Amino acid sequence: MSEILQKIKDQKIVPLFYNESYEASKNIVEALYEAGIRVIEYTNRGHQALENFTKLKEISHIEFPGLLLGIGTVKNIQEMDDYANVKADFIITPVINEALVKHALEKNILLIPGCFTPSDINIAHQNGLTLVKIFPADALGKNYIKSVKPVFPGMNFMPTGGIHAETEDIREWLNGDAIAAGLGSSLIGKDVNEEELTLKTKHLLQQLNQ
């Protein structure tokens, strides 16, 4: 976990997206990579997800060296195994349960589970996980992480869902003890322009690291 945890902390944002087109998906990854992004979550939200992700992983070590490419919206053990078999660098779930966590630990899969309640976070904590996704973050608010963090020493939190791709909004989450924010449609819209995405992401990274 240490390498990805450090990269996520340094990056402060984790872009996440899905596109039915492999070419469009590759272009988006390239645009983000050119902006300086080294951790990306591709989401399991369509029929082409596994095929597209497999192709992206096959080329990533050559075309995008140093990129950690993980898969999100994984909801069951079969999906977890499918993506572990094609060497996902990490797996993110929208939910957490003991079966998913135990399976990930047995298979040495790097799991970042989605948590909403303190009980959810406790499952991750009791099983030795050190990073959870808080989802949906906008339903909980920017003070939530600061409120629950003292109960779970050593746990790191990445809010996702409803976060704006704007410096001030992200900073408020970071000031509330998040290590990074997951950014979806607010950063990568349906009609994304790759050149604009690179410029927007690069500017966001620069602002957050000032």
Side-chain angles (χ1 to χ4, degrees):
M1 175 64 81
S2 57
E3 181 193 3
I4 184 173
L5 188 59
Q6 192 57 55
K7 279 196 174 185
I8 289 173
K9 281 182 176 180
D10 292 344
Q11 195 166 277
K12 297 183 176 64
I13 59 172
V14 175
L16 57 116
F17 78 98
Y18 170 74
N19 195 296
E20 202 76 9
S21 161
Y22 167 70
E23 285 303 321
S25 297
K26 180 186 174 186
N27 290 341
I28 291 168
V29 170
E30 185 173 5
L32 293 168
Y33 188 84
E34 286 183 9
I37 293 293
R38 294 297 180 269
V39 183
I40 296 173
E41 173 191 343
Y42 196 71
T43 56
N44 179 40
R45 293 190 181 182
H47 297 299
Q48 292 298 117
L50 181 58
E51 183 178 334
N52 288 352
F53 185 84
T54 302
K55 290 179 181 177
L56 289 170
K57 279 301 298 177
E58 286 171 352
I59 65 163
S60 66
H61 68 287
I62 296 171
E63 299 200 25
F64 312 116
L67 176 67
L68 291 172
L69 185 62
I71 186 71
T73 323
V74 170
K75 301 182 290 295
N76 57 59
I77 287 172
Q78 182 59 60
E79 291 175 349
M80 187 180 287
D81 283 343
D82 287 343
Y83 285 99
N85 288 339
V86 294
K87 298 183 170 47
D89 290 305
F90 56 92
I91 291 177
I92 298 182
T93 62
V95 296
I96 186 170
N97 60 54
E98 290 277 1
L100 283 172
V101 174
K102 296 291 188 188
H103 186 75
L105 292 171
E106 287 171 6
K107 298 288 186 177
N108 201 28
I109 294 168
L110 182 49
L111 177 66
I112 304 171
C115 297
F116 188 76
T117 67
S119 295
D120 290 343
I121 299 167
N122 191 51
I123 294 173
H125 190 248
Q126 293 299 319
N127 283 282
L129 303 186
T130 56
L131 174 60
V132 298
K133 175 177 80 167
I134 297 299
F135 176 80
D138 57 344
L140 292 166
K142 293 168 183 170
N143 294 319
Y144 180 76
I145 294 170
K146 192 179 284 287
S147 298
V148 298
K149 187 173 181 180
V151 184
F152 303 104
M155 184 60 74
N156 296 276
F157 300 88
M158 180 173 67
T160 304
I163 300 175
H164 301 294
E166 298 166 1
T167 306
E168 287 311 309
D169 195 47
I170 296 166
R171 277 214 181 107
E172 286 184 32
W173 286 101
L174 297 175
N175 291 338
D177 284 343
I179 66 161
L183 298 179
S185 58
S186 66
L187 180 65
I188 308 164
K190 285 186 177 179
D191 300 315
V192 60
N193 176 288
E194 287 83 7
E195 189 174 336
E196 290 177 5
L197 177 59
T198 296
L199 292 173
K200 182 178 181 179
T201 306
K202 187 178 290 187
H203 177 73
L204 199 55
L205 292 174
Q206 289 170 346
Q207 292 292 309
L208 289 171
N209 284 291
Q210 280 185 350

